[in-house]
Amino acid sequence: MKMKKYSDMELITMAQNGDEEAFTALYERYVRLAYFIAYKLCKNEADCEDVVQDSFIQIKNKIQDLRNPDLFKYWLNRIVISKCKNLFRKNKYMTYQDEHFETKTNLVETRAYHLPDVTMKFSSDKDVMNYFINELPLGQKEVVVLHYLQQLSVEETASILKLPEGTVKSRLSYARSALKNKIELYERQN
């Protein structure tokens, strides 16, 4: 059975009735969106993959509880963001003992986001903006990702994050201001 011909609503209804193929088709349609959101918040591929996997496990187990299939995308966003927050909470007090790690010398860091700003070279304006968005505090980063990158309205963003619209607006304002300052500083230095 070809699942591509079905609408999201039909696939969700079929998945709610236990159709594994329909759930697989939903997964294939939405895994990139979930990955995008998780990666923007986690900044780590391994954590991102864990969040996406945990999110789809929860979706599979709870899809029959989704009352309004029109809200699937928002429900997915909320679950992914919640899983990211849980991951941050879980790892908040994580410490490492030096004796458990072998010290290595003469290693060169190749990941741009770990290098000092003075040696940072970006290949495009998009890379610069992504770098600065990733530096924002979590609350601001969440609203920027949902509002500007996912192009959701303030109302939709507030609904997904379970925040008042005023809080979303103020976080967007603080984020815009912080991004403006970072970009101006970057432009002066380069």
Side-chain angles (χ1 to χ4, degrees):
M1 178 190 284
K2 297 275 185 186
M3 291 292 168
K4 289 186 178 186
K5 67 180 179 178
Y6 291 104
S7 71
D8 287 353
M9 295 282 288
E10 292 169 323
L11 287 175
I12 292 164
T13 303
M14 291 164 52
Q16 286 177 323
N17 292 324
D19 187 330
E20 293 290 329
E21 285 184 56
F23 182 80
T24 301
L26 272 175
Y27 171 83
E28 290 170 357
R29 283 188 190 177
Y30 285 99
V31 69
R32 291 184 71 204
L33 171 65
Y35 190 89
F36 174 80
I37 294 167
Y39 193 79
K40 283 293 181 188
L41 297 177
C42 294
K43 294 188 263 185
N44 173 310
E45 196 168 327
D47 288 343
C48 172
E49 289 172 358
D50 287 346
V51 164
V52 171
Q53 180 180 352
D54 289 348
S55 296
F56 276 99
I57 289 170
Q58 181 174 342
I59 289 168
K60 182 167 178 36
N61 292 334
K62 300 289 185 179
I63 197 162
Q64 70 277 1
D65 297 338
L66 181 63
R67 291 186 195 118
N68 187 349
D70 285 335
L71 300 177
F72 178 80
K73 185 176 175 181
Y74 303 111
W75 185 54
L76 168 74
N77 287 339
R78 184 177 288 168
I79 290 171
V80 171
I81 290 169
S82 175
K83 295 291 182 188
C84 289
K85 286 181 178 180
N86 290 342
L87 178 73
F88 298 145
R89 265 187 234 115
K90 184 174 83 175
N91 294 336
K92 185 177 182 179
Y93 299 109
M94 191 173 204
T95 59
Y96 299 99
Q97 300 296 330
D98 288 336
E99 63 266 9
H100 292 105
F101 295 96
E102 182 179 325
T103 305
K104 298 184 179 189
T105 57
N106 299 326
L107 292 179
V108 177
E109 180 61 67
T110 58
R111 296 171 291 181
Y113 56 90
H114 284 292
L115 296 173
D117 289 345
V118 293
T119 62
M120 186 66 64
K121 299 292 182 212
F122 296 103
S123 60
S124 71
D125 291 341
K126 182 180 177 183
D127 292 341
V128 173
M129 187 56 77
N130 283 332
Y131 177 78
F132 291 141
I133 289 171
N134 285 335
E135 285 189 329
L136 291 172
L138 179 61
Q140 292 176 20
K141 189 185 329 177
E142 289 173 339
V143 296
V144 166
V145 167
L146 292 174
H147 184 68
Y148 291 113
L149 303 180
Q150 291 294 314
Q151 299 180 347
L152 299 177
S153 70
V154 169
E155 182 181 313
E156 292 167 330
T157 302
S159 173
I160 288 170
L161 296 174
K162 296 181 182 175
L163 295 171
E165 287 182 35
T167 302
V168 171
K169 289 177 184 177
S170 68
R171 286 183 183 179
L172 285 170
S173 176
Y174 285 123
R176 280 191 300 268
S177 177
L179 289 171
K180 179 182 175 193
N181 292 337
K182 289 173 187 279
I183 290 169
E184 286 174 354
L185 179 63
Y186 174 78
E187 288 177 345
R188 278 190 298 238
Q189 291 176 345
N190 295 303

